[in-house]
Amino acid sequence: MTTEEEFASVLDGVRATVPVLRRNGQESEQRRWIVEENIQLLEKAGVFRSAVPERFGGLDLNVAQQARVVSEVARGCPSTGWLTMVWLTSAWCVSLYPDRAQEEVFSGGSTRVSIVFAPTGTLKPVDGGYRLDGTWRYNSGVRGADWDLLTAEVELPDGSHQELVALVPTGELTVVDDWHVSSGAGTASCTVKATDLFVPAHRTVPLEEAMVSATGDRSNTGATGRNYGLLGYILSTVSATLIGIAEGAYELFLERVPGRGITYTDWTDQRQHPVTQQQVALAANKIESARALSEHWQEVLQRRADAGEQPTDREKAVIRGQTAYADQVCKEAVELLYAASGGSVIRTDVDLQRFHRDIQGFSLHALTQLGANLEVQGRVLMGLEPGTYFL
């Protein structure tokens, strides 16, 4: 496992990139894809080795360490943070594949992998594997990924259907340039298409088994400390992204406020105004509460993985609710700071407005929806079934 010194080195490397990530933010948004310098700096810092197993030369960071790395990246650039979250969590997903597939993906020690969970493709069994056809939208990070994980349905001999996740080299896919959005523009979450694409059998796993790290034909099963509950692990890192965005917005606000007056009033220094003081304190407390809450679900995920167990359904449902709640308070913190920033904040050269728009967009993702996730949590807290298999 990675030593604390190695982890600190990665974290220091990421922190050093934050000013550059912010400087590149406007250009990344205009290009609808993060500038290459961002990727190269994070590669140099070791970020894309974070979720790669140690036996392949990776850092094999645990869930809390990965979350911290993602937060630091998002503190510099929301879109780059979101992509880092996708690439790291998807790389971890590859560790659930047979050893043969892992060797193909992880052989270089550093890799970027994207993923789409929506089963909008079909797999047809053929000799040695499957033929893949389909179209997948919102494929964050595919432009900069080496591999893509695409969920598709296969018809079984009895007529029923099973969802498999196909592992595909991105060079074999068609990427559609259709990402025109007002939030997260730098993520280039484009649509991808596959047409009669051969996927070897060892590059597919059943989604149902992957959800509980129960896939076979691999040497890294059991109490390795890394066989997390899939959804809880991903939700944890999604929240880390929003926490980092909120922390970045908080820093940007504090950088802007000194010497700013309040127009059409006698206040010449906004910092002296009691309402601004209250807003800053409230935003800070919201961010800190999300960070503190994250320690709880990280502890649950890690304790279970260390023991070679999966979280209980109750624990999974609570993680869904708590991560969504943390996402919500982070969004509220950024909204507070944005509203207190005056009319000039709408200028495109003011980084804070982009942080505000991006967290608004990311908060609309199905995995972060407050109502749906609290419903699942509330059901189990009252002794009911979760009402969904997606835990």
Side-chain angles (χ1 to χ4, degrees):
M1 301 294 180
T2 302
T3 65
E4 285 300 322
E5 291 76 15
E6 290 173 316
F7 171 57
S9 176
V10 174
L11 211 54
D12 288 343
V14 173
R15 285 170 178 153
T17 71
V18 166
V20 181
L21 298 179
R22 287 186 184 167
R23 185 188 70 209
N24 289 338
Q26 186 175 7
E27 182 181 354
S28 294
E29 182 170 66
Q30 291 170 346
R31 288 159 44 105
R32 296 179 293 119
W33 176 240
I34 59 173
V35 298
E36 182 64 23
E37 183 180 23
N38 292 12
I39 297 175
Q40 294 305 316
L41 286 172
L42 297 181
E43 180 74 64
K44 183 179 179 181
V47 170
F48 305 130
R49 295 172 56 219
S50 295
V52 175
E54 190 175 28
R55 69 185 186 278
F56 296 109
L59 294 172
D60 200 22
L61 300 185
N62 63 36
V63 62
Q65 291 170 331
Q66 289 184 42
R68 192 66 206 175
V69 169
V70 168
S71 284
E72 288 299 318
V73 177
R75 190 167 64 85
C77 171
S79 284
T80 308
W82 185 265
L83 293 175
T84 301
M85 174 274 296
V86 170
W87 287 331
L88 266 56
T89 56
S90 302
W92 172 84
C93 287
V94 174
S95 72
L96 302 177
Y97 279 72
D99 286 337
R100 182 179 173 186
Q102 291 188 49
E103 291 165 3
E104 292 170 346
V105 175
F106 294 140
S107 60
S110 176
T111 191
R112 297 189 296 276
V113 186
S114 294
I115 192 168
V116 180
F117 279 113
T120 52
T122 58
L123 286 161
K124 180 181 179 181
V126 294
D127 186 33
Y130 302 88
R131 288 287 175 180
L132 176 65
D133 289 275
T135 299
W136 296 264
R137 299 180 65 194
Y138 303 108
N139 200 171
S140 294
V142 67
R143 279 193 178 181
D146 307 303
W147 297 82
D148 207 3
L149 294 165
L150 301 170
T151 307
E153 286 194 343
V154 60
E155 184 173 346
L156 302 178
D158 63 2
S160 63
H161 290 81
Q162 182 182 35
E163 292 182 5
L164 300 181
V165 187
L167 174 61
V168 180
T170 53
E172 297 180 3
L173 298 166
T174 299
V175 180
V176 182
D177 185 16
D178 61 354
W179 191 243
H180 301 277
V181 293
S182 59
S183 299
T187 65
S189 301
C190 300
T191 298
V192 297
K193 295 182 178 181
T195 304
D196 196 31
L197 177 62
F198 176 69
V199 181
H202 70 276
R203 291 193 199 152
T204 64
V205 295
L207 178 60
E208 185 177 5
E209 293 180 9
M211 290 290 289
V212 291
S213 292
T215 51
D217 297 324
R218 60 190 180 101
S219 57
N220 56 324
T221 57
T224 63
R226 296 297 179 269
N227 283 304
Y228 301 113
L230 184 149
L231 185 61
Y233 162 76
I234 291 177
L235 290 174
S236 173
T237 318
V238 169
S239 288
T241 308
L242 271 66
I243 290 170
I245 294 172
E247 289 175 334
Y250 179 79
E251 293 170 2
L252 290 167
F253 180 85
L254 293 183
E255 289 174 6
R256 277 173 50 84
V257 74
R260 286 179 54 84
I262 301 178
T263 306
Y264 305 134
T265 76
D266 292 335
W267 293 97
T268 58
D269 185 351
Q270 189 179 359
R271 293 175 301 171
Q272 300 298 325
H273 197 289
V275 172
T276 302
Q277 296 161 4
Q278 294 167 12
Q279 290 170 322
V280 169
L282 183 55
N285 290 340
K286 286 178 180 289
I287 297 167
E288 186 60 30
S289 68
R291 175 71 70 189
L293 196 57
S294 73
E295 295 176 1
H296 170 71
W297 65 65
Q298 289 166 3
E299 187 277 330
V300 171
L301 289 166
Q302 194 59 57
R303 172 165 46 83
R304 291 297 188 182
D306 288 343
E309 303 170 345
Q310 287 290 295
T312 65
D313 282 356
R314 178 187 175 91
E315 288 170 336
K316 292 176 182 179
V318 170
I319 289 173
R320 276 195 58 168
Q322 288 184 345
T323 53
Y325 179 79
D327 298 340
Q328 174 70 18
V329 297
C330 286
K331 184 184 75 165
E332 290 171 356
V334 177
E335 290 171 341
L336 268 171
L337 299 168
Y338 179 80
S341 293
S344 63
V345 76
I346 68 172
R347 292 175 55 91
T348 57
D349 60 352
V350 176
D351 291 329
L352 182 53
Q353 55 80 28
R354 185 172 57 259
F355 278 64
H356 177 254
R357 284 187 291 106
D358 284 352
I359 202 168
Q360 293 286 337
F362 296 148
S363 296
L364 295 175
H365 194 285
L367 292 179
T368 69
Q369 288 289 304
L370 183 63
N373 286 292
L374 288 183
E375 177 188 350
V376 174
Q377 181 186 8
R379 288 180 64 88
V380 302
L381 292 179
M382 293 188 293
L384 303 174
E385 292 297 317
T388 177
Y389 75 92
F390 209 66
L391 290 173

